[in-house]
Amino acid sequence: MLLLKGLTATVFTLFLAGKCDAKVPRVSHPSSKQAKYLASKRPSSYSSQVSGSFTGTGWSASAPHVSAPYENIWEELTNDEAADVIAFLHNQTELNLTAASDAGSWDNSIMRVEVLTPNKTDVLPFVDSDQGKPERWARAAIWVGATEEPYVIEYQIGPLPISDNSVLTSLDWLTTKGTTYQRNYDADEDLTTEFMYNVSASIQDIITDLLNGTASGGDDDDLDIWGIDPLWHPSPNVTVQWVTFWRIPSSIFDGETLMPQGLYFELNTTGRDPTGWSVLGWLYRDVFYNSTEAFRAAWETGELKKNALNLEGTWIGSDYQGPTTEVGANSTMWASEKPPPVMVPPSGEDGIRYKVDVENKYVEWMDFSFYIAFRRDTGMRLFDIRYRGERIIYELGLEEALAHYAGNDPVQSGTAYLDTFYGFGPYAFELLAGYDCPTYATFLNSTFHAEEVSTTHPNSICLFENDQGYLLQRHSDDAYVSSTKNIAFTVRSASTVGNYDYNFDYSFYLDGTVEVTVRASGYIQSAHYYGNEDYGYHIHDGLSGSMHDHVLTFKADLDILGTSNSFANHTVAPVTTTYPWSHGMERSTMKLFRGYLDNEDDAKLHWPQNARSMFMVVNKNVTNEFGEPRGYRIMPSKGSGMFATIQNSSNLINSMNFATHALYVTRQKDTEPHASNANNDYDPANPVVDFSAFFDGESLDQEDIVVWFNLGMHHVPHTGDLPNTVFTTAQGSMQILPHNYLLHDPSRDSRQTVRIDYNDSGVQAVHTFGADFSKGLVNLTSVVPDFWAYRGDIDVRKFPYDPQHPYNDTESIV
Ligand SMILES: *[C@@H]1O[C@H](CO)[C@@H](O)[C@H](O)[C@H]1NC(C)=O
Ligand SMILES: *[C@@H]1O[C@H](CO)[C@@H](O)[C@H](O)[C@H]1NC(C)=O
Ligand SMILES: *[C@@H]1O[C@H](CO)[C@@H](O)[C@H](O)[C@H]1NC(C)=O
Ligand SMILES: *[C@@H]1O[C@H](CO)[C@@H](O)[C@H](O)[C@H]1NC(C)=O
Ligand SMILES: *[C@@H]1O[C@H](CO)[C@@H](O)[C@H](O)[C@H]1NC(C)=O
Ligand SMILES: *[C@@H]1O[C@H](CO)[C@@H](O)[C@H](O)[C@H]1NC(C)=O
Ligand SMILES: *[C@@H]1O[C@H](CO)[C@@H](O)[C@H](O)[C@H]1NC(C)=O
Ligand SMILES: *[C@@H]1O[C@H](CO)[C@@H](O)[C@H](O)[C@H]1NC(C)=O
Ligand SMILES: *[C@@H]1O[C@H](CO)[C@@H](O)[C@H](O)[C@H]1NC(C)=O
Ligand SMILES: *[C@@H]1O[C@H](CO)[C@@H](O)[C@H](O)[C@H]1NC(C)=O
Ligand SMILES: *[C@@H]1O[C@H](CO)[C@@H](O)[C@H](O)[C@H]1NC(C)=O
Ligand SMILES: *[C@@H]1O[C@H](CO)[C@@H](O)[C@H](O)[C@H]1NC(C)=O
Ligand SMILES: [Cu+2]
């Protein structure tokens, strides 16, 4: 789903990012897998049209200001910084760069520039000891197309701001491969797409007969062609890919991934010369034909049985369709037109109980404070999360998102998306107030810089407090009842990566808990049902809910009272033992067994059966007054924590070693900041970062340690995933919670607690501890979203490169 390089930017030529068919303008590199020509449907607005103040669809609370204790050193490059870095890159003649807007697949061009996250070893002295601010550096990914063997490569550029001291140097230290060089076997995807359409056109009579449609690349096509991701390399330098036909919806609903047609063909697209490419065979109803001629011959016998077609209908739309009876029961949602209860801010802006430094994306709520950063590859991440003034987590964020499919057919079997390749930043569109977030949330923007265009997604991060709908604490007896409200603070963003929508929450609770939640919705990628009985349920006419695993890997760099930490394993286990008081008789009981992980060799972990072990990051050297080491526990909450079913993936080879286990513990190292790299997908056998290389036996005893954990689900879509998967069940979360960290439950410090004393004669006393109650009238008009205020991307072009005017040319791209 990426913009085609070489075409003018005025034509939104969209690529199908393997992930299929979201019709959104992709401001990114033409490095995606399958091409698709679609017009933009997403509302977009451009800098030239922006005027006045922007409020978004909601009330958009401006929270009280707090000055961040120090500046956000993790924040993405500003538009001006990005422009400078791009200008600097264009000055490096050895890179032989063509301006992105003019570049084709045979040119070298800038794919993306972003901030290079500063080394922790440089940050801590600055943050903790007020020593010099870490240097600010950028990183850039360059598309090297002007060669027979195209590749992508990353560099670091700095220090910023650009000056005579600034240099372009290798980023190889950030890899496990020893180089950021990554061979790109998909540089000519515009031509491979054209090749696919030509193959289809060459047997149009068969396609019409079997699929009742046309796939030619033209505007009036009924069918689309795309397939596996990543591409296969059965032998060195050879590229093979299976593709299939999908029906293009004619309505606004982009449910193309619900309409696979069950006819597949295999291509050899080795090398850069299309005249050397060939069709290796066809697959229809589980029969492989080793050439187009063989397939035609079979069709001409007139004896080919036909697959059921997956056709468009209201079933792919997500609109209100009720009341329905077709599902086997009468709908009883008889009052659903009435407004449901809404969340309201009790006292308007005066009532806001958190503070924000908007410029530094720094937030304080109750006993927590943190900084928000945003990355093209992984979206939102948090830094320096403090609780009661002490850092508990240095860094918390997504690392990679795997969606590994399986199937009897080669396209599903060959599909294993590594979504950082497409990026979560480019698809983190504006959140809809009143739906994604309460209308009273505070909204922040996010920005990324790809193809020499800076794109801002307004209102793509929201911050809000809300009642969790269940109590944090209660107790009653014959003399009193006591209760504490469970109010949590959430930071949210959502990314629509192709067909799928991922919602990310970081939530903070009054008891000191931090929770990471990911939820999935949007369209499933389905399969044709023929032959796929063992790989999913039959969910529509010719449709299988193609089974797949979602594995989302997160990094949690905990620092418990310093960076010298250990990973504790406390296990409850059955024992049989005698006691002085048991008269010599054995009793069957259980005990608590305490241990530590010694080193990285033991640090690939699974959640133990029956949740019998508790895993904690503790500081052995900082015990509480009862001698217990203070720590934070890691515990699956929603879902149960998971890892990939498929091990040794034929598709991903060495690029999914972060998905072999449920969680991992490693030594923190500047050279191992990320478990994956967005360019791995280009050549998964030779990843830039192979997570398994992090495990080299280093001690985990009072060291700076990092926990990497997986959330996700084994997704076997059923009829309830039509038209869209629902967040209620497609979710997983991890809690990071205090464990002997304080001497009692810290939520006692919230005044939102009540105690009512009573006896037979009624209530004797009411204790509200100084808490205010909401009072007055609520003007609900203020919580009705203004849907017409919804905006799309705001793109600011940094170039075209003009040596006379190289800087910050903020032109609209349309
Ligand atoms: C978000 O972007 C919009 C549009 O550029 C701008 O008007 C607004 O001030 C930005 N908001 C914040 C919080 O930076
Ligand atoms: C690029 O090179 C030109 C000419 O040498 C110089 O004037 C300019 O400052 C350079 N710009 C950057 C960002 O390095
Ligand atoms: C620079 O790139 C162009 C294509 O943009 C290519 O034709 C030319 O050969 C390249 N020059 C060098 C020295 O690689
Ligand atoms: C960050 O650490 C790496 C590995 O030690 C080092 O190569 C690199 O130069 C450091 N970056 C900066 C900006 O100091
Ligand atoms: C084939 O497509 C045409 C036009 O879209 C439609 O009218 C017809 O019903 C379709 N036939 C089948 C068998 O689906
Ligand atoms: C594959 O390509 C690389 C360069 O990318 C080349 O060095 C190598 O010799 C090629 N291998 C084979 C088997 O052709
Ligand atoms: C694909 O094409 C290349 C180059 O023509 C050839 O070397 C290779 O054997 C072919 N591979 C397959 C699987 O057909
Ligand atoms: C296809 O299969 C037929 C019969 O099995 C065989 O004779 C022929 O050589 C094969 N053709 C190719 C291109 O592999
Ligand atoms: C729906 O309700 C109608 C009227 O009460 C009844 O006749 C019908 O059997 C019901 N259908 C189902 C599927 O329960
Ligand atoms: C945790 O400790 C228990 C009991 O000693 C042991 O059985 C288990 O293997 C340990 N788990 C890990 C991951 O070390
Ligand atoms: C433990 O803490 C004490 C006091 O803070 C300190 O002096 C000592 O060096 C620490 N020991 C280790 C192993 O970290
Ligand atoms: C409620 O709020 C709306 C807009 O915020 C305002 O136009 C309206 O006058 C208010 N109504 C009352 C009764 O205050
Ligand atoms: Cu799924």
Side-chain angles (χ1 to χ4, degrees):
M1 293 189 202
L2 307 176
L3 272 172
L4 175 59
K5 189 171 197 173
L7 290 195
T8 67
T10 51
V11 184
F12 266 123
T13 301
L14 301 181
F15 274 75
L16 198 63
K19 269 285 350 190
C20 66
D21 187 18
K23 296 165 187 175
V24 289
R26 297 314 195 204
V27 183
S28 189
H29 205 270
S31 47
S32 68
K33 303 297 164 147
Q34 285 83 22
K36 171 151 176 61
Y37 302 87
L38 289 170
S40 164
K41 285 189 174 178
R42 186 171 285 275
S44 274
S45 53
Y46 298 94
S47 53
S48 57
Q49 297 157 15
V50 173
S51 63
S53 72
F54 177 74
T55 53
T57 55
W59 187 71
S60 201
S62 27
H65 177 76
V66 62
S67 290
Y70 56 91
E71 83 183 68
N72 187 338
I73 46 185
W74 302 281
E75 208 164 15
E76 185 49 282
L77 301 179
T78 63
N79 289 4
D80 287 346
E81 284 177 325
D84 278 356
V85 170
I86 288 166
F88 178 82
L89 287 167
H90 276 282
N91 264 6
Q92 313 302 307
T93 50
E94 72 277 13
L95 295 179
N96 190 22
L97 291 177
T98 301
S101 58
D102 300 331
S105 58
W106 277 86
D107 297 311
N108 301 348
S109 65
I110 299 170
M111 298 168 71
R112 52 183 183 262
V113 297
E114 59 191 333
V115 71
L116 177 63
T117 303
N119 289 329
K120 187 177 179 183
T121 50
D122 293 335
V123 171
L124 291 189
F126 166 65
V127 168
D128 295 342
S129 317
D130 217 10
Q131 291 170 32
K133 201 170 79 177
E135 284 181 350
R136 193 156 163 84
W137 284 66
R139 65 193 285 184
I142 308 289
W143 170 279
V144 182
T147 161
E148 280 297 334
E149 284 159 6
Y151 59 94
V152 297
I153 191 159
E154 288 186 90
Y155 296 104
Q156 59 179 4
I157 300 101
L160 303 184
I162 296 290
S163 71
D164 289 347
N165 297 327
S166 301
V167 290
L168 170 90
T169 56
S170 160
L171 199 54
D172 293 347
W173 59 268
L174 199 103
T175 73
T176 60
K177 188 183 183 176
T179 172
T180 59
Y181 168 99
Q182 187 73 333
R183 184 75 159 80
N184 176 3
Y185 293 100
D186 201 18
D188 301 298
E189 102 181 308
D190 49 343
L191 295 178
T192 49
T193 301
E194 197 179 306
F195 190 82
M196 290 169 201
Y197 285 129
N198 289 341
V199 169
S200 173
S202 76
I203 59 159
Q204 183 57 51
D205 50 346
I206 307 180
I207 302 294
T208 302
D209 180 47
L210 297 182
L211 306 185
N212 193 23
T214 306
S216 66
D219 283 346
D220 48 2
D221 276 357
D222 324 278
L223 300 170
D224 199 359
I225 306 174
W226 50 271
I228 64 167
D229 174 6
L231 307 183
W232 292 346
H233 308 291
S235 48
N237 298 349
V238 169
T239 300
V240 160
Q241 52 188 311
W242 273 98
V243 294
T244 189
F245 293 85
W246 305 82
R247 195 161 296 272
I248 299 170
S250 58
S251 76
I252 194 169
F253 294 108
D254 56 331
E256 181 173 318
T257 52
L258 295 182
M259 296 187 287
Q261 301 301 309
L263 172 63
Y264 313 87
F265 61 101
E266 186 182 21
L267 302 170
N268 182 346
T269 53
T270 299
R272 301 203 72 178
D273 178 5
T275 62
W277 297 349
S278 59
V279 176
L280 297 176
W282 290 78
L283 185 79
Y284 191 61
R285 295 176 69 84
D286 215 16
V287 177
F288 180 72
Y289 303 92
N290 70 2
S291 66
T292 303
E293 294 68 39
F295 181 47
R296 172 171 288 284
W299 176 72
E300 281 174 351
T301 64
E303 282 161 18
L304 269 192
K305 281 192 70 182
K306 287 189 195 172
N307 268 342
L309 293 180
N310 288 309
L311 299 172
E312 191 175 0
T314 53
W315 68 282
I316 70 164
S318 54
D319 281 352
Y320 169 72
Q321 292 176 12
T324 54
T325 54
E326 67 174 36
V327 292
N330 285 336
S331 170
T332 53
M333 293 200 199
W334 54 269
S336 74
E337 77 281 6
K338 294 182 184 170
V342 286
M343 294 186 273
V344 296
S347 331
E349 295 197 6
D350 294 344
I352 294 180
R353 309 197 311 163
Y354 54 92
K355 293 179 178 175
V356 182
D357 181 335
V358 170
E359 197 191 329
N360 282 302
K361 290 198 166 71
Y362 170 79
V363 181
E364 288 182 357
W365 174 77
M366 299 293 160
D367 284 328
F368 286 100
S369 68
F370 54 88
Y371 287 81
I372 302 170
F374 200 87
R375 297 284 180 269
R376 178 266 173 207
D377 297 348
T378 53
M380 181 172 71
R381 51 201 309 120
L382 306 185
F383 284 92
D384 200 3
I385 301 173
R386 292 184 189 221
Y387 182 60
R388 301 201 162 187
E390 299 280 1
R391 175 161 53 251
I392 53 170
I393 303 174
Y394 176 76
E395 181 182 6
L396 183 61
L398 181 70
E399 292 291 305
E400 186 54 278
L402 164 71
H404 202 309
Y405 290 71
N408 186 56
D409 72 73
V411 168
Q412 296 304 311
S413 188
T415 300
Y417 299 120
L418 292 171
D419 276 336
T420 64
F421 176 82
Y422 303 104
F424 285 83
Y427 309 125
F429 300 110
E430 179 175 6
L431 297 161
L432 185 57
Y435 282 73
D436 278 312
C437 319
T439 45
Y440 59 78
T442 298
F443 290 88
L444 301 174
N445 298 341
S446 64
T447 295
F448 68 99
H449 314 281
E451 299 223 300
E452 301 178 8
V453 173
S454 295
T455 302
T456 295
H457 290 134
N459 296 1
S460 49
I461 298 170
C462 72
L463 311 169
F464 60 91
E465 251 196 318
N466 68 337
D467 191 314
Q468 297 301 292
Y470 67 98
L471 289 174
L472 186 60
Q473 172 275 337
R474 83 180 304 286
H475 187 62
S476 64
D477 79 349
D478 61 0
Y480 76 97
V481 57
S482 77
S483 303
T484 308
K485 288 202 177 195
N486 190 3
I487 310 295
F489 185 78
T490 296
V491 189
R492 174 170 293 170
S493 76
S495 296
T496 303
V497 187
N499 49 316
Y500 240 48
D501 295 64
Y502 293 98
N503 177 101
F504 297 98
D505 280 3
Y506 295 99
S507 296
F508 300 85
Y509 293 85
L510 294 170
D511 68 349
T513 295
V514 179
E515 185 174 25
V516 181
T517 306
V518 58
R519 303 185 173 94
S521 187
Y523 286 103
I524 60 168
Q525 175 171 314
S526 60
H528 197 280
Y529 191 64
Y530 190 87
N532 266 320
E533 299 82 359
D534 292 341
Y535 300 91
Y537 299 113
H538 193 175
I539 58 170
H540 206 257
D541 299 343
L543 204 63
S544 160
S546 188
M547 69 187 288
H548 54 280
D549 278 353
H550 295 276
V551 184
L552 291 102
T553 305
F554 287 84
K555 175 182 186 180
D557 178 353
L558 283 88
D559 285 352
I560 304 301
L561 303 160
T563 53
S564 294
N565 293 165
S566 302
F567 194 84
N569 165 18
H570 293 178
T571 300
V572 292
V575 290
T576 314
T577 187
T578 58
Y579 300 94
W581 46 264
S582 68
H583 305 295
M585 295 220 276
E586 287 207 319
R587 296 186 57 81
S588 284
T589 183
M590 62 180 174
K591 283 188 179 176
L592 180 64
F593 295 85
R594 304 171 197 220
Y596 289 98
L597 280 192
D598 208 35
N599 66 67
E600 290 178 339
D601 290 342
D602 314 321
K604 297 180 180 176
L605 309 178
H606 289 306
W607 296 109
Q609 194 191 29
N610 198 25
R612 65 178 179 262
S613 294
M614 296 180 287
F615 295 146
M616 279 77 58
V617 175
V618 303
N619 191 328
K620 280 183 181 175
N621 198 25
V622 185
T623 52
N624 68 17
E625 66 179 80
F626 308 113
E628 301 287 357
R630 296 172 63 186
Y632 256 75
R633 180 178 174 189
I634 320 279
M635 183 173 82
S637 180
K638 298 182 187 75
S640 48
M642 55 91 66
F643 57 97
T645 308
I646 298 172
Q647 305 274 309
N648 306 314
S649 164
S650 308
N651 301 312
L652 291 179
I653 312 159
N654 300 314
S655 288
M656 59 171 274
N657 287 325
F658 48 78
T660 59
H661 290 71
L663 76 163
Y664 307 82
V665 190
T666 64
R667 265 276 294 285
Q668 193 284 331
K669 280 196 192 156
D670 289 341
T671 52
E672 295 175 354
H674 294 300
S676 188
N677 179 290
N679 294 337
N680 283 358
D681 191 64
Y682 283 112
D683 187 4
N686 303 296
V688 178
V689 173
D690 176 349
F691 184 61
S692 66
F694 288 17
F695 296 84
D696 44 9
E698 284 169 304
S699 167
L700 299 174
D701 185 32
Q702 290 300 92
E703 298 288 351
D704 190 358
I705 62 181
V706 177
V707 178
W708 316 79
F709 61 82
N710 286 318
L711 294 177
M713 59 172 168
H714 306 293
H715 194 185
V716 187
H718 65 106
T719 50
D721 287 80
L722 297 177
N724 281 181
T725 295
V726 288
F727 280 150
T728 42
T729 46
Q731 60 179 336
S733 76
M734 192 67 63
Q735 288 182 340
I736 303 172
L737 59 153
H739 198 81
N740 289 322
Y741 186 76
L742 298 169
L743 293 180
H744 71 159
D745 160 31
S747 73
R748 294 312 85 215
D749 294 356
S750 166
R751 295 180 192 273
Q752 299 304 324
T753 280
V754 67
R755 190 181 95 224
I756 297 166
D757 300 345
Y758 63 94
N759 61 21
D760 289 348
S761 359
V763 172
Q764 301 301 307
V766 173
H767 309 272
T768 57
F769 310 103
D772 263 354
F773 287 82
S774 345
K775 44 187 169 294
L777 303 171
V778 177
N779 181 347
L780 285 176
T781 309
S782 69
V783 297
V784 175
D786 177 6
F787 298 119
W788 293 97
Y790 191 80
R791 307 274 290 267
D793 302 352
I794 295 172
D795 297 326
V796 180
R797 177 161 288 287
K798 288 295 171 286
F799 261 44
Y801 178 56
D802 172 355
Q804 302 309 309
H805 303 99
Y807 293 111
N808 200 23
D809 182 2
T810 57
E811 236 173 57
S812 161
I813 68 163
V814 285

